[in-house]
């Protein structure tokens, strides 16, 4: 089979290393290409596609190429066309769902649909599900429809039609009616000649499972199968690929590209076992390891390799740099007091990099969780350094934060109608459009604020039934919070208001994957409030922060979560928050045990391997949760990085753990973390005298490396209040100070 019309670019194989070339030229039989970070997997995948065409092994329509994003599919098509010298048409190239939609339109009648079926978006799915739930008389406050929709989609992601959901896989959600609702939901979709996103793959897999003639047809069509990011496949994607690849003639020309060390999406259904069992699924499979990394320095790669080697569930590979002059800097480990100093240290380093000509767009701050962005956002704003939050909103723009701020604005200024209108029905209180319209009319007539209008209508008994009860309770919440504000301060009052109003409970009851992150963001907001003397001062600060002009330029520092950074690369990467409980995430460990720990470690590996030139890890000795300080210890992942590849100012990780930390900063113009050169023979480190850590007497003179000398005026365990000569009273942990002997 020759393609004489193709005019390929010359030497398309000559630019490849030996590993890449072997992966491309091994065309027959099952193949697993273990492509480490930065090893050129996209080039290998696209060149393999072109190579099959150029060697006449298949026509374009006989290759199935599957990606995870439309962007990746478009890029592959363009690259293949560039190698061939002309655009290629008739390809089965696209995302899992796009290709399945194409298949399903060919065979819709097998699942009682027509080829013109509609694909419902999320809003339509929810609307339909609510209709289906009505006969079951489900309490939608306790069992929200969006959560039930999530359960149904997870069933579909596991390849479970209603008939295939076993008692083990069933749930007691919606009073045990979830499966019955799922069944009825599917029937309604069929009646409407529609399907949801999950049905695209579920229906096709069911057709391939039950219609041997259809499966045989696709076996004849697809001579070769190419799969990108195989480590991210979920169960339904795995089943679909295995059905198409396991032909009756024993030929399985499937090539999967992936990296078991970068499987970080189990929370959305990805199964790392899919890639780990590839050789068992396809006996005789060949494995080619791409280990020459063209992104990072040797020091970064060795540090990352040492870290990931602690995972047991991996196939194993060792990356080496393919760059010239690739030795590079060691990975920096920086210990700081708290998240605010963490932000100051990073902000100062970024300023120096910017002055030295380092592009801001080549700098990234990669965090385990979204709540960590706030201190960095505020610091960069203060410094006038442009930044972008990639894959998410700025901290104060997030819905849950805006809700909380609205509660606080009403507490501070009850006449703030916009804030009150935002939260009057959040969480849902049954305040309907008629009741709200009545309140607006009352406020305009008098005139007065909406809060005053509510109080007037409550006093005159104008409100009835559910609205009266709900608004009476809400007004009582604000009254109680106001009293607390005067006696216990704005932090306690704000927390009390969010608790008593039911707002925090709303998110605790929410079973969506986003809910825990939203609660973390709210906790970070409470921490931020504690930095201000008054609630009014904090709200003014937020208003000014949100009003700052946003520079329209591509030259911005990138802030994002580690999950959002996969596939990206930057010259300089900052990795803050490497503490036990933050990273690895305590919530993940509690829910997933050792399996979750290994995924957290893969996430750390992904973070390190985003860096081309420079990686800086930071950990804080304490973080404040609400108004309380909590001591932290460095992440176990720091311990797992080989010492020869990190710079910790000459101290071992173990010694650092024993001594907690000493304050640090970037040396001027460098990334070397240094000790203060001051000589203070009259002071002893509290951490060197373990018995006395919690027993610093009142009136003792202590020295703090940042705040200077001060007098201890109160203590509570290892927490002190110190009146510093230069900065006044500060609350601080005992092991942050040195006592004067």
């Amino acid at each position: 089979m020759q393609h004489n019309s193709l005019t390929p670019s010359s030497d398309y194989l000559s630019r490849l290393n030996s590993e890449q070339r072997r992966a491309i030229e091994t065309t027959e039989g099952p193949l697993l290409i273990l492509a480490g970070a930065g090893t050129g997997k996209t080039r290998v995948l696209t060149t393999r596609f072109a190579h099959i065409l150029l060697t006449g092994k298949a026509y374009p329509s006989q290759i199935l190429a599957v990606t995870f994003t439309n962007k990746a599919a478009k890029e592959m098509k363009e690259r293949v066309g560039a190698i061939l010298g002309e655009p290629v048409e008739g390809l089965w190239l696209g995302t899992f769902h796009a290709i399945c939609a194409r298949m399903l339109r060919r065979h819709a009648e097998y699942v009682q649909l027509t080829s013109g079926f509609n694909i419902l978006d999320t809003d339509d799915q929810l609307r339909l599900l609510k209709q289906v739930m009505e006969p079951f008389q489900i309490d939608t406050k306790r069992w929200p429809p969006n959560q039930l929709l999530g359960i149904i989609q997870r069933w579909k992601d596991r390849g479970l039609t209603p008939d295939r959901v076993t008692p083990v896989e069933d749930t007691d959600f919606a009073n045990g009616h979830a499966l019955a609702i799922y069944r009825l939901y599917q029937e309604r979709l069929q009646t409407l000649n529609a399907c949801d996103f999950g049905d695209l793959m579920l229906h096709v897999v069911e057709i391939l499972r039950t219609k041997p003639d259809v499966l045989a047809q696709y076996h004849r069509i697809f001579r070769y199968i190419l799969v990108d990011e195989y480590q991210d496949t979920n169960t339904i994607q795995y089943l679909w690929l295995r059905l198409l690849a396991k032909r009756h003639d024993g030929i399985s020309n499937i090539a999967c590209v992936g990296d078991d060390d970068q499987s970080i999406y189990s929370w959305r259904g990805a199964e790392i076992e899919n890639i780990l069992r590839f050789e068992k699924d396809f006996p005789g499979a060949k494995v080619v390891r791409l280990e020459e990394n063209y992104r990072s320095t040797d020091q970064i790669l060795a540090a990352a390799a040492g870290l990931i080697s602690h995972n047991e569930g991996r196939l194993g590979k060792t990356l080496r740099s393919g760059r010239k002059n690739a030795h590079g800097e060691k990975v920096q480990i920086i210990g700081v007091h708290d998240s605010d100093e963490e932000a100051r240290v990073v902000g100062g380093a970024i300023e120096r990099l910017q002055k030295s000509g380092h592009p801001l767009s080549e700098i990234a701050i990669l965090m385990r969780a979204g709540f960590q962005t706030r201190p960095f956002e505020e610091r960069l704003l203060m410094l006038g350094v442009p930044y972008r939050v990639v894959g998410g909103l700025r901290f104060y723009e997030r819905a849950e934060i805006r809700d909380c701020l609205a509660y606080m604005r009403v507490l501070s200024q009850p006449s703030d109608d916009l804030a009150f209108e935002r939260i009057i029905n959040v969480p849902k209180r049954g305040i309907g459009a008629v009741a709200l319209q009545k309140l607006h009319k009352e406020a305009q007539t008098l005139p007065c604020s909406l809060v005053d209008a509510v109080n007037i209508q409550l006093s005159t008994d104008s409100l009835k039934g559910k609205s009266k009860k709900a608004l009476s309770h809400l007004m009582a919440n604000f009254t109680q919070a106001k009293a607390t504000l005067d006696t216990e301060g704005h932090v306690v009052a704000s927390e009390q208001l969010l608790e008593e109003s039911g707002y925090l409970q709303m998110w605790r009851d929410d079973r969506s994957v986003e809910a825990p992150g939203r609660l973390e963001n709210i906790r970070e907001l409470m921490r931020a409030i504690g930095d201000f003397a008054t609630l009014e001062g904090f709200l003014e600060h937020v208003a000014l922060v949100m009003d700052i002009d946003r520079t329209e330029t591509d030259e911005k520092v990138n802030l994002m979560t580690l999950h959002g950074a996969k596939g990206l690369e930057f010259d300089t990467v900052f990795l803050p928050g490497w503490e036990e409980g933050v990273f690895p995430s305590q919530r993940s460990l509690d829910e997933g045990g050792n399996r979750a720990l290994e995924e957290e470690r893969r996430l750390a590996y992904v973070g390190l391997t985003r860096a081309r030139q420079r990686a800086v890890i930071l950990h804080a000795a304490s973080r404040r949760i609400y108004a309380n300080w909590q001591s932290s210890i460095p992440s176990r992942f720091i311990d797992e990085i080989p010492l020869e590849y990190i710079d910790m100012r000459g101290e071992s990780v173990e010694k650092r753990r024993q001594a907690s930390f000493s304050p640090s900063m970037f040396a001027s113009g460098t990334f070397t973390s240094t000790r203060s050169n001051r000589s203070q023979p009259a002071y002893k480190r509290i951490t060197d005298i373990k018995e006395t850590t919690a027993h610093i007497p009142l009136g003792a003179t202590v020295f703090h490396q940042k705040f200077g000398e001060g007098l201890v005026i109160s203590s509570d365990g290892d927490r002190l209040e110190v009146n510093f000569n230069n900065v006044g009273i500060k609350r601080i942990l005992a092991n942050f100070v040195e006592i004067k002997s």
Side-chain angles (χ1 to χ4, degrees), residues 405 408-409 412 534-544:
L405 290 173
M408 293 170 200
R409 283 164 55 192
S412 173
T534 65
L535 183 57
E536 290 76 16
F538 172 69
L539 292 173
E540 181 179 329
H541 165 75
V542 172
L544 291 172

Side-chain angles (χ1 to χ4, degrees), residues 245-319:
K246 282 186 168 288
R247 291 169 36 163
H248 296 302
D249 58 9
I251 299 173
S252 295
N253 289 335
I254 182 172
C256 295
V257 181
D259 183 2
D260 51 324
D261 291 334
Q262 295 188 74
S263 179
I264 58 174
Y265 296 122
S266 66
W267 49 275
R268 66 185 189 196
E271 294 281 354
I272 190 173
E273 287 77 10
N274 293 349
I275 192 169
L276 296 179
R277 67 177 174 224
F278 185 88
E279 291 174 274
K280 180 182 288 188
D281 285 337
F282 300 99
K286 296 174 182 174
V287 179
V288 175
R289 288 172 168 80
L290 305 184
E291 298 177 310
E292 192 164 355
N293 174 287
Y294 294 95
R295 174 189 302 157
S296 306
T297 63
D298 281 326
Q299 300 271 20
I300 292 171
L301 293 177
L307 171 63
I308 200 63
S309 67
H310 288 79
N311 269 9
E312 295 179 2
R314 64 190 295 258
L315 297 170
K317 60 187 170 304
T318 303
L319 298 185

Side-chain angles (χ1 to χ4, degrees), residues 462-479:
S462 299
L463 289 168
K464 303 293 182 184
K466 195 172 183 180
S467 294
K468 178 181 179 180
K469 183 178 179 181
L471 287 174
S472 179
H473 180 70
L474 181 60
M475 290 299 99
N477 293 154
F478 278 108
T479 300

Side-chain angles (χ1 to χ4, degrees), residues 329-601:
E329 304 176 16
K330 290 184 177 182
V331 173
Q332 298 289 304
I333 310 289
I334 307 297
V336 295
H337 290 293
D338 53 30
S339 58
D340 290 332
E341 188 189 357
E342 190 175 55
R344 286 195 297 273
V345 168
V346 173
I350 290 173
E351 274 194 310
R352 287 190 288 277
L353 284 169
Q354 185 181 23
K355 288 175 183 176
S356 70
H358 192 303
L360 291 179
S361 59
E362 288 298 339
I363 299 173
I365 306 173
L366 308 182
M367 289 148 286
R368 173 62 182 86
F371 76 88
Q372 293 173 261
T373 67
R374 189 199 60 81
F376 295 102
E377 289 188 57
E378 296 204 355
R379 188 65 185 172
L380 294 174
L381 283 168
M382 192 190 81
L383 296 173
V385 175
Y387 73 91
R388 63 170 67 88
V389 178
V390 181
L393 296 170
R394 296 178 178 226
F395 184 80
Y396 291 117
E397 293 174 343
R398 296 166 188 172
E400 66 277 13
I401 301 302
R402 293 176 73 90
D403 289 343
C404 293
L405 290 173
Y407 272 100
M408 293 170 200
R409 283 164 55 192
V410 175
L411 178 60
S412 173
Q413 183 53 261
S415 61
D416 190 334
D417 285 357
L418 288 176
F420 185 70
E421 190 169 352
R422 181 181 180 95
I423 55 89
I424 192 171
N425 217 23
V426 180
K428 292 187 184 303
R429 298 185 174 92
I431 314 298
V434 174
L436 192 55
Q437 187 178 16
K438 192 174 181 180
L439 287 173
H440 274 292
K441 186 176 180 180
E442 179 90 24
Q444 291 167 5
T445 302
L446 285 175
C448 65
S449 69
L450 283 175
V451 167
D452 287 340
V454 170
N455 286 324
I456 290 169
Q457 292 203 4
L458 286 173
S459 65
T460 58
D461 216 23
S462 299
L463 289 168
K464 303 293 182 184
K466 195 172 183 180
S467 294
K468 178 181 179 180
K469 183 178 179 181
L471 287 174
S472 179
H473 180 70
L474 181 60
M475 290 299 99
N477 293 154
F478 278 108
T479 300
Q480 292 166 4
K482 186 67 175 175
T484 303
L485 185 65
D486 296 333
T487 58
E488 298 186 55
H490 59 293
V491 176
V492 177
S494 298
E495 181 184 349
Q496 175 187 302
L497 178 58
L498 294 176
E499 190 67 72
E500 296 299 326
S501 67
Y503 187 78
L504 293 178
Q505 193 61 45
M506 177 186 77
W507 288 117
R508 292 191 195 108
D509 292 340
D510 192 319
R511 300 190 184 185
S512 68
V513 294
E514 296 87 4
R518 294 185 189 276
L519 285 167
E520 286 179 342
N521 291 340
I522 295 170
R523 282 194 288 270
E524 177 61 20
L525 179 67
M526 293 296 105
R527 199 203 76 75
I529 294 171
D531 289 340
F532 293 81
T534 65
L535 183 57
E536 290 76 16
F538 172 69
L539 292 173
E540 181 179 329
H541 165 75
V542 172
L544 291 172
V545 164
M546 295 181 72
D547 194 47
I548 289 177
D549 181 44
R550 297 171 188 178
T551 307
E552 291 303 320
T553 173
D554 290 334
E555 274 306 300
K556 296 180 180 180
V557 175
N558 301 280
L559 274 65
M560 68 187 83
T561 64
L562 287 160
H563 283 103
K566 186 172 176 291
L568 304 177
E569 56 186 71
F570 307 92
D571 285 344
T572 298
V573 169
F574 294 95
L575 299 159
W578 281 43
E579 300 127 35
E580 288 296 306
V582 177
F583 192 37
S585 159
Q586 191 60 50
R587 176 163 50 87
S588 294
L589 299 187
D590 291 343
E591 293 174 359
N594 190 63
R595 179 185 173 97
L597 174 61
E598 295 217 339
E599 180 155 330
E600 292 285 298
R601 190 176 284 115

Side-chain angles (χ1 to χ4, degrees), residues 66-78:
V66 192
T67 66
F68 267 85
T69 65
N70 290 317
K71 180 182 177 183
K74 181 182 178 183
E75 182 181 0
M76 185 184 295
K77 184 175 181 179
E78 289 173 350

Side-chain angles (χ1 to χ4, degrees), residues 686-703:
I686 294 301
T687 47
D688 293 334
I689 315 171
K690 296 179 183 177
E691 299 81 11
T692 65
T693 297
H695 303 289
I696 301 177
L698 296 182
T701 300
V702 294
F703 185 90

